[in-house]
Amino acid sequence: MELNRPAIEGGKPVRANTLPYARQSLDDGDLDAVAGALKSGWITSGPRVEEFEKAVALKAGAPQAVAVTSCTAALQLALNALGIGPGHEVITTPLTFAATPLSAIYNGAMPVLVDIDERDLNINPDLIEERITSRTRAIMPVHYGGAPVGMDKILDIAQRHGLMVVEDAAHAIGAKYNGRPIGVHGHAVCFSFHAVKNITTAEGGAIATADADLSGRLRSRRFFGIPADAWQRAASPKPWEYDVFELGFKCNMTDIQAALGISQLKRLDSFLTRRREIVGRYDLEFSQMEELILNETMPGAESAHHLYVVRIRPERFKVGRDSLLAALRAEGINANIHYKPVHMHTFFIRHLGDLRGRFPVCERAAETLITLPLFPAMTDGDVSDVITAVKKLVEWYRA
Ligand SMILES: *Cc1c(COP(=O)(O)O)cnc(C)c1O
């Protein structure tokens, strides 16, 4: 049988135009909501932020949520408000975006990396305890790709060692663990509403928590350390009075962003349904290819399907992963990599020491993984194109 020549080798590409790996879904309702905020006369933090926080809290199953400018700010602020600073250590995964370990460093604390589980690419809870020292204050798990970490083990370790659990749930709004939403398990659960995430406010984040004292500190410290926001002061009898009570930052969300968030959050369930459908089709096709490894879903975990990640078995291919990524792009499929491990970046090598070789499962995964396009606005034809392109390249480059 004549094989189908890849576009990168001069063949005809699967697609004429390029399919991105992620794209936001904005409808007329979203646009109207933003316009409504702009026309309302109050565009920075105001009633829409409060309404958005209530909606996020409801979705996350938490009594309260505090909205900020990004998930990075959420993580930084959460650690800060939990009293984590110089001399302290925070345990996290090397397979994450730089924001996760940076949030500890911004506070003067040190991130301590623990290798991942090869089944779901999440931090391996069984390796955490051996890294706990007298300086450890928190565990910061990342729900990689939207698939929840085994929280039972994490919470048990945290309780036995008196540690805080700050979840990086940037991928995981709408995910569940043991039937309960991501948002109820840890002390502080941080979401991202960046443009590529499962819902968006363009840029934005929030911290869900059941701790009322913590949420009070978060509200104060997201706005200079002033205990109430400006628009709440506007309603008080002496609106000119304010007190900088403690050291705070400036990372409050605007009502423009919150208006978009309120509208997007109403669409989250339909987004998740569509993501699940696409993942179902991918799984069906790719699980039949012996050249590929799919992530496993762990007991109790219900993914928000933020990323679709496959790993190649390098010994089954005549070319390396990067050549396959380039070949996919030539077919019009913008695949991606999540992530270059934390400890491989120049800054972290300088700051943490050279840890290359220390997290073999993570390094092996990072060298072999490919993130395929996954977003709710993908058509069935787009999904077919991804499957066709992957099949074509597997057949052509099979060793
Ligand atoms: C996107 C992301 C962040 C940062 O989110 P921002 O809202 O862009 O600050 C943090 N952690 C992970 C795992 C992410 O993917």
Coordinates of all heavy atoms in Angstrom, one line a residue, residues 295-368:
N295 N -2.7 8.9 28.9 CA -2.8 9.1 30.3 C -3.9 8.3 30.9 O -5.0 8.2 30.3 CB -3.0 10.6 30.7 CG -1.8 11.4 30.4 OD1 -0.7 10.9 30.0 ND2 -1.9 12.7 30.7
E296 N -3.7 7.8 32.1 CA -4.8 7.0 32.8 C -5.6 8.0 33.7 O -5.0 9.0 34.2 CB -4.2 6.0 33.7 CG -3.7 4.8 32.9 CD -3.0 3.8 33.9 OE1 -3.5 3.5 35.0 OE2 -1.9 3.3 33.5
T297 N -6.8 7.7 33.9 CA -7.6 8.4 34.9 C -7.6 7.6 36.2 O -7.8 6.4 36.2 CB -9.1 8.6 34.4 OG1 -9.1 9.2 33.1 CG2 -9.8 9.5 35.3
M298 N -7.2 8.3 37.3 CA -7.0 7.6 38.5 C -8.4 7.4 39.2 O -9.3 8.2 39.0 CB -6.1 8.4 39.4 CG -4.7 8.7 38.8 SD -3.8 7.2 38.4 CE -2.5 7.4 39.7
P299 N -8.4 6.5 40.2 CA -9.7 6.3 40.9 C -10.2 7.5 41.6 O -9.4 8.2 42.2 CB -9.3 5.2 41.9 CG -8.1 4.6 41.5 CD -7.4 5.5 40.6
G300 N -11.4 7.9 41.4 CA -12.0 9.0 42.1 C -11.8 10.3 41.3 O -12.4 11.3 41.6
A301 N -11.0 10.3 40.2 CA -10.8 11.6 39.5 C -11.7 11.7 38.3 O -11.9 10.8 37.5 CB -9.3 11.6 39.0
E302 N -12.3 12.9 38.2 CA -13.2 13.2 37.0 C -12.6 14.4 36.4 O -12.6 15.5 37.0 CB -14.6 13.5 37.5 CG -15.7 12.8 36.9 CD -17.0 13.2 37.5 OE1 -17.3 12.6 38.6 OE2 -17.7 14.1 37.0
S303 N -11.9 14.3 35.2 CA -11.1 15.4 34.7 C -12.0 16.5 34.1 O -13.1 16.3 33.6 CB -10.2 14.8 33.5 OG -9.4 15.8 33.0
A304 N -11.4 17.7 34.1 CA -12.0 18.8 33.4 C -11.5 18.9 31.9 O -11.9 19.8 31.2 CB -11.7 20.1 34.1
H305 N -10.7 17.9 31.6 CA -10.2 17.8 30.2 C -9.7 19.1 29.6 O -10.1 19.5 28.5 CB -11.3 17.2 29.3 CG -11.7 15.8 29.7 ND1 -10.9 14.7 29.7 CD2 -12.9 15.3 30.1 CE1 -11.5 13.7 30.2 NE2 -12.7 14.0 30.4
H306 N -8.7 19.7 30.3 CA -8.2 20.9 29.8 C -7.2 20.7 28.7 O -7.2 21.4 27.7 CB -7.5 21.7 30.9 CG -6.8 22.9 30.4 ND1 -7.5 23.9 29.8 CD2 -5.5 23.3 30.5 CE1 -6.6 24.9 29.5 NE2 -5.4 24.5 29.8
L307 N -6.3 19.6 28.8 CA -5.3 19.3 27.8 C -5.5 17.9 27.4 O -5.9 17.0 28.2 CB -3.9 19.4 28.4 CG -3.5 20.8 28.9 CD1 -2.1 20.7 29.6 CD2 -3.5 21.8 27.8
Y308 N -5.3 17.6 26.1 CA -5.2 16.2 25.7 C -3.7 15.9 25.3 O -3.2 16.4 24.3 CB -6.1 15.9 24.4 CG -6.2 14.4 24.2 CD1 -7.2 13.7 24.9 CD2 -5.4 13.8 23.4 CE1 -7.3 12.3 24.8 CE2 -5.4 12.4 23.2 CZ -6.4 11.7 23.9 OH -6.5 10.3 23.8
V309 N -3.1 15.0 26.2 CA -1.7 14.8 26.0 C -1.5 13.3 25.7 O -2.1 12.4 26.3 CB -1.0 15.1 27.4 CG1 0.4 14.6 27.4 CG2 -1.1 16.6 27.7
V310 N -0.8 13.0 24.6 CA -0.3 11.6 24.3 C 1.2 11.6 24.4 O 1.9 12.6 24.2 CB -0.7 11.2 22.9 CG1 -2.3 11.1 22.8 CG2 -0.1 12.0 21.8
R311 N 1.7 10.4 24.8 CA 3.1 10.2 24.7 C 3.5 9.2 23.6 O 2.7 8.3 23.4 CB 3.6 9.7 26.1 CG 3.8 10.8 27.1 CD 4.0 10.2 28.5 NE 2.7 9.8 29.0 CZ 2.5 9.0 30.1 NH1 3.5 8.5 30.7 NH2 1.3 8.7 30.5
I312 N 4.6 9.4 23.0 CA 5.1 8.5 22.0 C 6.0 7.5 22.6 O 6.6 7.8 23.6 CB 5.8 9.2 20.8 CG1 7.1 9.9 21.3 CG2 4.9 10.2 20.1 CD1 8.1 10.2 20.2
R313 N 6.0 6.3 22.1 CA 7.1 5.3 22.5 C 8.2 5.5 21.5 O 8.1 5.1 20.3 CB 6.6 3.9 22.4 CG 5.4 3.6 23.3 CD 5.1 2.1 23.2 NE 3.8 1.8 23.8 CZ 3.6 1.6 25.1 NH1 4.6 1.6 26.0 NH2 2.4 1.4 25.6
P314 N 9.3 6.2 21.9 CA 10.3 6.7 21.0 C 10.9 5.5 20.1 O 11.3 5.7 19.0 CB 11.4 7.3 21.8 CG 10.8 7.5 23.2 CD 9.6 6.6 23.3
E315 N 11.0 4.3 20.8 CA 11.6 3.2 20.1 C 10.8 2.7 18.9 O 11.3 2.0 18.0 CB 11.9 2.1 21.0 CG 10.7 1.4 21.7 CD 10.1 2.2 22.9 OE1 10.5 3.3 23.2 OE2 9.1 1.7 23.4
R316 N 9.5 3.2 18.8 CA 8.6 2.8 17.7 C 8.7 3.7 16.6 O 7.9 3.6 15.6 CB 7.2 2.7 18.2 CG 7.0 1.7 19.4 CD 7.0 0.3 18.9 NE 6.6 -0.6 19.9 CZ 5.4 -1.3 20.0 NH1 4.5 -1.1 19.0 NH2 5.1 -2.1 21.0
F317 N 9.5 4.8 16.7 CA 9.5 5.8 15.6 C 10.9 6.0 15.0 O 11.9 5.8 15.7 CB 9.0 7.2 16.2 CG 7.5 7.2 16.4 CD1 7.0 6.8 17.7 CD2 6.7 7.7 15.5 CE1 5.7 6.8 17.9 CE2 5.3 7.7 15.7 CZ 4.8 7.3 17.0
K318 N 10.9 6.3 13.7 CA 12.2 6.6 13.1 C 12.7 8.0 13.3 O 13.9 8.3 13.1 CB 12.0 6.4 11.5 CG 12.0 4.9 11.1 CD 11.9 4.7 9.6 CE 10.5 4.9 9.1 NZ 10.2 4.4 7.8
V319 N 11.8 8.9 13.8 CA 12.2 10.2 14.1 C 11.8 10.6 15.6 O 11.0 9.8 16.2 CB 11.6 11.3 13.2 CG1 12.0 11.0 11.7 CG2 10.1 11.2 13.3
G320 N 12.4 11.7 16.1 CA 12.1 12.0 17.5 C 10.8 12.8 17.6 O 10.2 13.2 16.6
R321 N 10.5 13.1 18.9 CA 9.3 13.8 19.2 C 9.2 15.2 18.6 O 8.2 15.6 18.0 CB 9.1 13.9 20.7 CG 7.7 14.4 21.2 CD 7.6 15.9 21.3 NE 8.8 16.6 21.9 CZ 8.9 16.8 23.2 NH1 7.9 16.4 24.0 NH2 9.9 17.4 23.7
D322 N 10.3 15.9 18.6 CA 10.3 17.3 18.0 C 10.0 17.3 16.5 O 9.4 18.1 16.0 CB 11.6 18.0 18.4 CG 11.7 18.4 19.8 OD1 10.7 18.1 20.6 OD2 12.7 19.0 20.3
S323 N 10.6 16.2 15.8 CA 10.3 16.1 14.4 C 8.8 15.8 14.2 O 8.2 16.3 13.2 CB 11.2 15.0 13.8 OG 12.5 15.3 14.0
L324 N 8.2 15.0 15.1 CA 6.8 14.7 14.9 C 6.0 16.0 15.1 O 5.0 16.2 14.4 CB 6.4 13.6 15.9 CG 6.9 12.2 15.5 CD1 6.7 11.3 16.7 CD2 6.3 11.7 14.2
L325 N 6.4 16.8 16.1 CA 5.7 18.1 16.4 C 5.7 19.0 15.2 O 4.7 19.5 14.7 CB 6.3 18.8 17.6 CG 5.7 18.7 18.9 CD1 6.5 19.5 19.9 CD2 4.3 19.1 19.0
A326 N 6.9 19.1 14.6 CA 7.1 19.9 13.4 C 6.3 19.4 12.2 O 5.6 20.1 11.5 CB 8.6 20.0 13.0
A327 N 6.2 18.0 12.1 CA 5.5 17.4 11.0 C 4.0 17.6 11.2 O 3.2 17.9 10.3 CB 5.8 15.9 11.0
L328 N 3.5 17.6 12.5 CA 2.1 17.9 12.8 C 1.8 19.3 12.4 O 0.7 19.6 11.8 CB 1.8 17.7 14.3 CG 1.3 16.3 14.7 CD1 1.2 16.3 16.2 CD2 0.0 15.9 14.1
R329 N 2.7 20.2 12.7 CA 2.4 21.6 12.4 C 2.3 21.8 10.9 O 1.5 22.6 10.4 CB 3.5 22.5 13.0 CG 3.3 22.6 14.5 CD 4.2 23.7 15.1 NE 3.7 23.9 16.5 CZ 3.4 25.1 17.0 NH1 3.6 26.2 16.3 NH2 2.9 25.2 18.2
A330 N 3.2 21.1 10.1 CA 3.1 21.2 8.7 C 1.8 20.6 8.1 O 1.4 21.0 7.0 CB 4.3 20.4 8.1
E331 N 1.2 19.7 8.9 CA -0.2 19.2 8.5 C -1.3 20.2 8.8 O -2.4 19.9 8.5 CB -0.5 17.9 9.2 CG 0.5 16.7 8.9 CD 0.6 16.3 7.4 OE1 -0.4 16.6 6.7 OE2 1.6 15.7 7.0
G332 N -0.9 21.3 9.5 CA -1.9 22.3 9.9 C -2.5 22.0 11.3 O -3.5 22.5 11.7
I333 N -1.8 21.2 12.1 CA -2.2 20.9 13.4 C -1.2 21.5 14.4 O -0.1 21.0 14.5 CB -2.3 19.3 13.7 CG1 -3.1 18.6 12.6 CG2 -2.8 19.0 15.1 CD1 -4.6 19.0 12.5
N334 N -1.6 22.5 15.1 CA -0.6 23.1 16.0 C -0.6 22.4 17.4 O -1.3 22.8 18.3 CB -1.0 24.6 16.2 CG -0.2 25.5 15.3 OD1 0.5 25.0 14.4 ND2 -0.2 26.8 15.5
A335 N 0.1 21.3 17.4 CA 0.3 20.6 18.7 C 1.3 21.4 19.5 O 1.9 22.4 19.0 CB 0.8 19.2 18.4
N336 N 1.4 21.1 20.8 CA 2.2 21.9 21.7 C 2.9 20.9 22.8 O 2.7 19.7 22.7 CB 1.3 22.9 22.4 CG 2.0 24.2 22.7 OD1 3.2 24.2 23.0 ND2 1.3 25.3 22.6
I337 N 3.6 21.5 23.7 CA 4.2 20.7 24.8 C 3.9 21.3 26.1 O 4.0 22.5 26.3 CB 5.8 20.7 24.6 CG1 6.2 20.0 23.3 CG2 6.4 20.1 25.8 CD1 7.7 20.0 23.1
H338 N 3.3 20.5 27.0 CA 3.1 20.9 28.4 C 3.7 19.9 29.4 O 3.1 18.9 29.6 CB 1.6 21.0 28.7 CG 0.9 22.1 27.9 ND1 0.4 21.9 26.6 CD2 0.6 23.4 28.2 CE1 -0.1 23.0 26.2 NE2 0.0 23.9 27.1
Y339 N 4.9 20.1 29.9 CA 5.6 21.4 29.8 C 7.1 21.0 29.7 O 7.5 19.9 30.0 CB 5.5 22.2 31.2 CG 4.1 22.7 31.4 CD1 3.2 21.9 32.1 CD2 3.7 23.9 30.9 CE1 1.9 22.3 32.3 CE2 2.4 24.4 31.2 CZ 1.5 23.6 31.9 OH 0.2 24.0 32.1
K340 N 7.9 22.0 29.3 CA 9.3 21.9 29.6 C 9.5 21.9 31.1 O 8.9 22.8 31.8 CB 10.1 23.1 29.0 CG 11.5 23.2 29.4 CD 12.2 24.4 28.7 CE 13.6 24.7 29.2 NZ 14.2 25.8 28.4
P341 N 10.1 20.9 31.8 CA 10.0 20.8 33.2 C 10.7 22.0 33.9 O 11.6 22.6 33.4 CB 10.9 19.5 33.5 CG 10.7 18.7 32.3 CD 10.7 19.7 31.1
V342 N 10.1 22.3 35.0 CA 10.6 23.5 35.8 C 12.1 23.5 35.9 O 12.8 24.5 35.7 CB 9.9 23.4 37.2 CG1 10.6 24.4 38.2 CG2 8.4 23.7 37.1
H343 N 12.7 22.4 36.3 CA 14.1 22.3 36.6 C 15.0 22.3 35.4 O 16.2 22.2 35.6 CB 14.4 21.1 37.5 CG 14.2 19.8 36.9 ND1 12.9 19.4 36.6 CD2 15.0 18.9 36.4 CE1 13.0 18.2 36.0 NE2 14.3 17.9 35.9
M344 N 14.5 22.4 34.2 CA 15.3 22.5 33.0 C 15.4 24.0 32.5 O 16.2 24.2 31.6 CB 14.6 21.7 31.9 CG 14.3 20.3 32.2 SD 15.7 19.3 32.7 CE 16.3 18.8 31.1
H345 N 14.7 24.9 33.2 CA 14.8 26.3 32.8 C 16.0 27.0 33.5 O 16.3 26.7 34.6 CB 13.5 27.1 33.3 CG 12.3 26.8 32.5 ND1 12.0 27.4 31.3 CD2 11.4 25.9 32.7 CE1 10.9 26.9 30.8 NE2 10.5 26.0 31.6
T346 N 16.7 27.9 32.7 CA 17.9 28.5 33.2 C 17.7 29.1 34.6 O 18.5 28.9 35.5 CB 18.3 29.7 32.2 OG1 18.4 29.1 30.9 CG2 19.6 30.3 32.6
F347 N 16.6 29.9 34.8 CA 16.4 30.6 36.1 C 16.4 29.5 37.2 O 17.0 29.7 38.3 CB 15.1 31.4 36.1 CG 14.8 31.9 37.5 CD1 15.5 32.9 38.1 CD2 13.7 31.2 38.2 CE1 15.2 33.3 39.4 CE2 13.4 31.6 39.5 CZ 14.2 32.6 40.1
F348 N 15.6 28.5 37.0 CA 15.5 27.5 38.1 C 16.7 26.7 38.4 O 17.0 26.3 39.5 CB 14.2 26.6 37.9 CG 12.9 27.3 38.0 CD1 12.3 27.7 36.8 CD2 12.4 27.7 39.2 CE1 11.1 28.4 36.9 CE2 11.2 28.4 39.3 CZ 10.5 28.7 38.1
I349 N 17.5 26.5 37.3 CA 18.8 25.8 37.5 C 19.7 26.7 38.4 O 20.3 26.3 39.3 CB 19.5 25.5 36.2 CG1 18.7 24.5 35.4 CG2 21.0 25.1 36.4 CD1 19.2 24.2 34.0
R350 N 19.6 28.0 38.2 CA 20.4 29.0 39.0 C 19.8 29.0 40.4 O 20.6 29.1 41.4 CB 20.3 30.4 38.4 CG 21.1 30.5 37.2 CD 21.5 32.0 37.0 NE 21.9 32.2 35.6 CZ 21.2 33.0 34.7 NH1 20.1 33.7 35.2 NH2 21.6 33.1 33.5
H351 N 18.5 29.0 40.5 CA 17.9 29.3 41.8 C 17.8 28.0 42.7 O 17.9 28.1 43.9 CB 16.5 29.9 41.6 CG 15.9 30.6 42.8 ND1 16.2 31.9 43.1 CD2 15.1 30.1 43.8 CE1 15.6 32.2 44.2 NE2 14.9 31.2 44.7
L352 N 17.5 26.9 42.1 CA 17.3 25.6 42.9 C 18.6 24.7 42.8 O 18.6 23.7 43.5 CB 16.1 24.8 42.3 CG 14.8 25.6 42.2 CD1 13.8 24.6 41.5 CD2 14.3 26.1 43.5
G353 N 19.5 25.1 42.0 CA 20.6 24.2 41.8 C 20.3 23.3 40.6 O 19.2 23.3 40.1
D354 N 21.3 22.6 40.1 CA 21.1 21.8 38.9 C 20.5 20.4 39.3 O 21.2 19.6 39.8 CB 22.5 21.6 38.1 CG 22.3 21.0 36.8 OD1 21.1 20.5 36.5 OD2 23.2 21.0 36.0
L355 N 19.2 20.3 39.0 CA 18.5 19.1 39.4 C 18.2 18.2 38.2 O 17.4 17.2 38.3 CB 17.1 19.5 40.1 CG 17.3 20.3 41.3 CD1 15.9 20.8 41.8 CD2 18.0 19.6 42.4
R356 N 18.9 18.5 37.1 CA 18.6 17.7 35.9 C 19.0 16.2 36.2 O 20.1 15.9 36.8 CB 19.4 18.2 34.7 CG 18.7 19.5 34.2 CD 19.5 20.2 33.1 NE 20.7 20.8 33.6 CZ 21.5 21.5 32.9 NH1 21.3 21.8 31.6 NH2 22.6 22.1 33.4
G357 N 18.2 15.3 35.8 CA 18.4 13.9 36.1 C 17.7 13.4 37.3 O 17.6 12.2 37.6
R358 N 17.2 14.3 38.1 CA 16.7 13.9 39.4 C 15.2 13.4 39.4 O 14.7 12.8 40.3 CB 16.8 15.1 40.4 CG 18.2 15.3 40.9 CD 18.6 14.5 42.1 NE 17.9 14.8 43.3 CZ 18.2 15.9 44.1 NH1 19.3 16.6 43.8 NH2 17.5 16.1 45.1
F359 N 14.5 13.8 38.3 CA 13.1 13.4 38.2 C 12.9 12.7 36.9 O 12.3 13.2 36.0 CB 12.2 14.7 38.3 CG 12.6 15.6 39.4 CD1 13.3 16.8 39.2 CD2 12.4 15.2 40.7 CE1 13.7 17.6 40.2 CE2 12.8 16.1 41.8 CZ 13.5 17.2 41.5
P360 N 13.3 11.4 36.9 CA 13.4 10.7 35.6 C 12.0 10.5 35.0 O 11.9 10.5 33.8 CB 14.0 9.3 36.0 CG 14.0 9.3 37.5 CD 13.9 10.7 38.0
V361 N 11.0 10.3 35.8 CA 9.7 10.0 35.2 C 9.2 11.3 34.5 O 8.7 11.2 33.3 CB 8.6 9.6 36.3 CG1 7.3 9.3 35.6 CG2 9.1 8.4 37.0
C362 N 9.4 12.4 35.1 CA 9.0 13.7 34.5 C 9.8 14.0 33.3 O 9.3 14.4 32.2 CB 9.2 14.8 35.5 SG 9.1 16.5 34.8
E363 N 11.1 13.7 33.3 CA 12.0 14.0 32.2 C 11.6 13.2 31.0 O 11.5 13.6 29.8 CB 13.5 13.9 32.5 CG 13.9 15.1 33.5 CD 15.3 15.1 33.8 OE1 16.2 14.5 33.1 OE2 15.7 15.7 34.9
R364 N 11.4 11.9 31.2 CA 11.0 11.0 30.2 C 9.7 11.4 29.6 O 9.5 11.4 28.3 CB 10.9 9.5 30.8 CG 10.2 8.5 29.9 CD 11.2 7.8 29.1 NE 10.4 6.8 28.3 CZ 11.0 6.1 27.3 NH1 12.2 6.3 27.0 NH2 10.3 5.2 26.6
A365 N 8.7 11.8 30.4 CA 7.4 12.2 29.9 C 7.5 13.5 29.1 O 7.0 13.6 28.0 CB 6.4 12.4 31.1
A366 N 8.3 14.4 29.6 CA 8.4 15.7 28.9 C 9.1 15.6 27.6 O 8.9 16.4 26.7 CB 9.2 16.7 29.8
E367 N 10.0 14.5 27.4 CA 10.6 14.3 26.1 C 9.8 13.6 25.1 O 10.1 13.5 23.9 CB 11.9 13.5 26.4 CG 13.1 14.3 27.0 CD 14.1 13.4 27.5 OE1 14.1 12.2 27.4 OE2 15.0 14.0 28.2
T368 N 8.7 13.0 25.6 CA 7.9 12.1 24.7 C 6.5 12.6 24.5 O 5.7 12.0 23.7 CB 7.9 10.7 25.2 OG1 7.4 10.7 26.6 CG2 9.2 10.0 25.2

